[in-house]
Amino acid sequence: NAGVTQTPKFRVLKTGQSMTLLCAQDMNHEYMYWYRQDPGMGLRLIHYSVGEGTTAKGEVPDGYNVSRLKKQNFLLGLESAAPSQTSVYFCASSYSRRSYNEQFFGPGTRLTVL
Amino acid sequence: SQKIEQNSEALNIQEGKTATLTCNYTNYSPAYLQWYRQDPGRGPVFLLLIRENEKEKRKERLKVTFDTTLKQSLFHITASQPADSATYLCALRLNRDDKIIFGKGTRLHILP
């Protein structure tokens, strides 16, 4: 049982390049989330999904897109990376909203945009 | 505006003493509040959850209180140990909402 995994662990991009971050969970969780964490800013929600085929915007969605084609995977895309997107990205999952459930976090992806 | 505030300064506590961390919120109506621990370079790890109708929750050396009138949660670690040194995050899930909002976290240092 691997929990929540994220790929890649580190990435350096040039301004304008695109990339996709992959999050996978093997706990059959309905809910999945993408956060970014910056010094002094805490964890901020980018997008989230309440089930396969659904996505919704969080606090800071601009510049990012997401897809949840399979229940176990949640992809975060950057179409045209900007230096302001330099951050550590965390994916999380939880069973559902109806129960009082904890979020399980992945190990993070450290992204630098030059 | 809506805010979640945690001690922005790092907290230094002598080993063996009780560490108390504060989480204040404004203009939210939370369904429940959670506390997480985060170590450097790692993702947050869930510790405790307390519901809006609960006053106190305990788990081993950890205790959480929740005062919806004061809009405040306190997180206590008793008999603190150097291994408890980490950043602690509080998070609110709002009523009728799917999102969980995190505070910025408090860095705790337990001094041997």
Side-chain angles (χ1 to χ4, degrees):
Chain A
N1 196 343
V4 178
T5 57
Q6 292 183 232
T7 309
K9 288 185 169 46
F10 304 93
R11 186 74 187 267
V12 178
L13 289 179
K14 294 181 180 177
T15 297
Q17 288 185 316
S18 63
M19 79 162 293
T20 299
L21 282 68
L22 170 64
C23 176
Q25 52 93 6
D26 60 2
M27 296 173 282
N28 201 34
H29 284 169
E30 292 292 334
Y31 281 55
M32 296 187 76
Y33 309 81
W34 275 108
Y35 293 91
R36 60 178 289 174
Q37 189 173 40
D38 304 289
M41 298 297 292
L43 279 165
R44 291 183 291 169
L45 183 65
I46 304 171
H47 286 281
Y48 64 101
S49 168
V50 302
E52 181 178 319
T54 75
T55 63
K57 294 180 180 180
E59 300 171 75
V60 289
D62 294 340
Y64 305 95
N65 56 74
V66 287
S67 63
R68 184 101 181 265
L69 298 178
K70 293 183 179 180
K71 185 177 183 178
Q72 63 268 33
N73 295 337
F74 195 29
L75 278 62
L76 178 71
L78 286 72
E79 289 186 349
S80 179
S84 61
Q85 294 177 305
T86 293
S87 188
V88 180
Y89 291 86
F90 288 102
C91 175
S93 70
S94 64
Y95 182 63
S96 76
R97 180 173 73 89
R98 296 187 182 279
S99 305
Y100 297 101
N101 281 292
E102 66 194 88
Q103 290 191 332
F104 292 82
F105 282 82
T109 295
R110 186 173 294 274
L111 175 66
T112 302
V113 182
L114 302 175
Chain B
S1 63
Q2 298 171 319
K3 273 197 257 187
I4 301 175
E5 292 183 339
Q6 296 187 250
N7 311 65
S8 56
E9 305 282 329
L11 193 60
N12 295 320
I13 299 293
Q14 203 65 42
E15 181 178 5
K17 302 290 187 186
T18 296
T20 299
L21 284 68
T22 304
C23 178
N24 295 304
Y25 60 93
T26 57
N27 296 329
Y28 285 121
S29 179
Y32 59 75
L33 187 146
Q34 299 174 328
W35 283 89
Y36 288 79
R37 169 185 173 138
Q38 187 174 23
D39 292 288
R42 311 287 290 268
V45 174
F46 172 80
L47 295 174
L48 277 171
L49 177 151
I50 188 164
R51 300 184 180 97
E52 59 183 330
N53 59 352
E54 295 178 319
K55 297 287 188 190
E56 182 179 299
K57 208 73 168 288
R58 291 176 185 261
K59 180 182 175 183
E60 297 172 351
R61 294 185 295 111
L62 308 181
K63 184 178 86 171
V64 172
T65 62
F66 195 11
D67 188 326
T68 53
T69 302
L70 290 179
K71 297 187 185 297
Q72 181 182 78
S73 174
L74 299 178
F75 176 79
H76 307 272
I77 305 175
T78 59
S80 59
Q81 304 165 0
D84 295 325
S85 298
T87 295
Y88 291 85
L89 308 170
C90 74
L92 302 179
R93 186 178 81 70
L94 309 178
N95 276 310
R96 296 183 297 278
D97 200 317
D98 294 312
K99 298 191 289 288
I100 293 181
I101 308 298
F102 281 82
K104 295 179 183 179
T106 297
R107 279 180 294 122
L108 176 65
H109 300 294
I110 305 299
L111 308 173

